[in-house]
Amino acid sequence: MLINKNISSQPQYENCTHVIRVPLIEYQTLSVDTKNLRLISRLQASLNWIDPELAWNTSIYDYEEVILPVDKIWTPEIHVTNGILTTMKHSSVDLLVFSNGTVKHSVIINAEVNCEVNLFNYPFASDECPVAIQAWSVDGCGTILKLGHLRNADSTQGDWQTNYVVLQKKRDDRNYIMVSLSIKYLNPFITLLLPSILIVLADVVSFALPLGCGERNSFKVTLVLSFTLFLGILNDRLPGDGQCSPIIRTHFCVCLVLLVLSMLVSMILTRVAKDGGFIFCCCPKRSGPKNKVNKDDEEDDDSIYPNPTSILPEAKADISVIQLSGSEESNKMLGLVVNFLQAWEAKAEESERYEALANKLDQTFFWFYLFLGGTYFVAMTAVMIKYPCTVNHFDFWD
């Protein structure tokens, strides 16, 4: 008899509203899409309402309750207002109807909510995300939800943790579940933040390598290339720019700038230690002793081998050959050796001066780099943990 009534619309009273009681909602966070800022939730709600058209006289039909197919009578629909994709299905193909017209049923709602989670403090981020629940209503007509108890079914979902859930409302017809979320920071700290700290620390320690050899420069280039790999991992995990963009992006950019700056300074100081020039286009200074040696050699050559034009008064004069004695030839060779050793010593002294200057600049830059890096990491850690950034999560309501 109840099935044959074919009741497919909302019960009608003196007014056009109908109360749907929801004594229990079991909430569960399935996952949090950090890249696209999506909260995927599952809700199982127990419903009961009164439909006078489904009541019967127990004196005629001696039953207190009956089981009816869920697709043969009217059932309310529950929506998630801020859900991008929402599906509601019945938890069973049957429902329970009492003789006074009370209907008991339960539904399962899967919702993908667009929630701009505040990731400014990532990986120490935490935020609250609303899941708005409503039933069909137009111009004051429709169904009114009376929510009861809320229970959190599961609190751990991958890198995220559900701290608590609570039922709240902005108006009588605007109910929502406020979900408090926080990141379990151990995994992102180990995979992203800690490697950045260790790479910069290795770059600081690399100043212990000798400046003159190329090992330090190649090591610093390797560090820069290694750090770019973590930039790719960061880009795959976190969303783009937003109202509260993750500050760890800025942190990675600053670390990359520090590494590149250290690499460039090390290369320039290697050039300084080589020839005293700061850049490759600077011409190295000409050695004075070398020119002096050349000049002395020319004078000795003139004294031993006179220029024919200086001893010949006329172009047609006879050529005279001066024979060198053994002692004069020995003096010549000894002078060449002395001049060579003096030039070598002068060049060594000049190289030592360049290396001393480069080492002094290198030491100065090391302490500056250590102070700058230490101050930056302390400030960035404080900002990541303490600085607040607020997001309006209710902009989906007019």
Side-chain angles (χ1 to χ4, degrees), residues 252-296:
F252 269 61
C253 290
V254 173
C255 288
L256 184 60
V257 169
L258 290 177
L259 293 174
V260 173
L261 176 63
S262 174
M263 179 185 67
L264 295 178
V265 170
S266 180
M267 291 180 177
I268 292 175
L269 294 181
T270 302
R271 178 73 179 186
V272 172
K274 178 72 175 176
D275 55 15
F278 283 94
I279 54 178
F280 68 93
C281 61
C282 294
C283 297
K285 298 179 180 179
R286 289 179 296 178
S287 177
K290 183 176 180 181
N291 297 333
K292 183 179 180 181
V293 170
N294 295 334
K295 185 176 181 181
D296 293 341

Side-chain angles (χ1 to χ4, degrees), residues 54 133 165 336:
L54 296 178
I133 301 175
V165 292
L336 292 176

Side-chain angles (χ1 to χ4, degrees), residues 185-260:
Y185 62 87
L186 184 60
N187 184 34
F189 177 81
I190 292 176
T191 57
L192 288 176
L193 194 58
L194 183 60
S196 67
I197 298 174
L198 295 179
I199 289 177
V200 175
L201 180 61
D203 187 59
V204 172
V205 178
S206 67
F207 282 89
L209 295 174
L211 184 62
C213 65
E215 295 180 359
R216 182 198 285 192
N217 295 335
S218 61
F219 181 73
K220 288 181 177 291
V221 172
T222 303
L223 291 180
V224 173
L225 295 178
S226 301
F227 194 78
T228 56
L229 297 178
F230 292 97
L231 288 176
I233 298 174
L234 181 70
N235 185 60
D236 293 337
R237 281 198 174 191
L238 298 182
D241 294 335
Q243 184 175 352
C244 289
S245 180
I247 196 174
I248 194 172
R249 287 185 179 275
T250 306
H251 164 70
F252 269 61
C253 290
V254 173
C255 288
L256 184 60
V257 169
L258 290 177
L259 293 174
V260 173

Side-chain angles (χ1 to χ4, degrees), residues 135-187:
W136 178 81
S137 178
V138 176
D139 295 334
C141 291
T143 54
I144 300 175
L145 295 178
K146 295 294 183 181
L147 303 179
H149 182 64
L150 176 65
R151 183 174 63 191
N152 186 20
D154 190 10
S155 60
T156 303
Q157 305 79 29
D159 290 339
W160 289 83
Q161 179 176 353
T162 303
N163 299 322
Y164 61 85
V165 292
V166 59
L167 281 172
Q168 297 179 358
K169 62 172 57 182
K170 282 188 172 294
R171 291 187 331 203
D172 291 337
D173 59 341
R174 290 184 176 179
N175 303 283
Y176 63 93
I177 300 174
M178 183 60 76
V179 183
S180 176
L181 301 169
S182 62
I183 294 180
K184 292 183 288 186
Y185 62 87
L186 184 60
N187 184 34

Side-chain angles (χ1 to χ4, degrees), residues 7 16 389:
I7 300 174
C16 57
C389 183

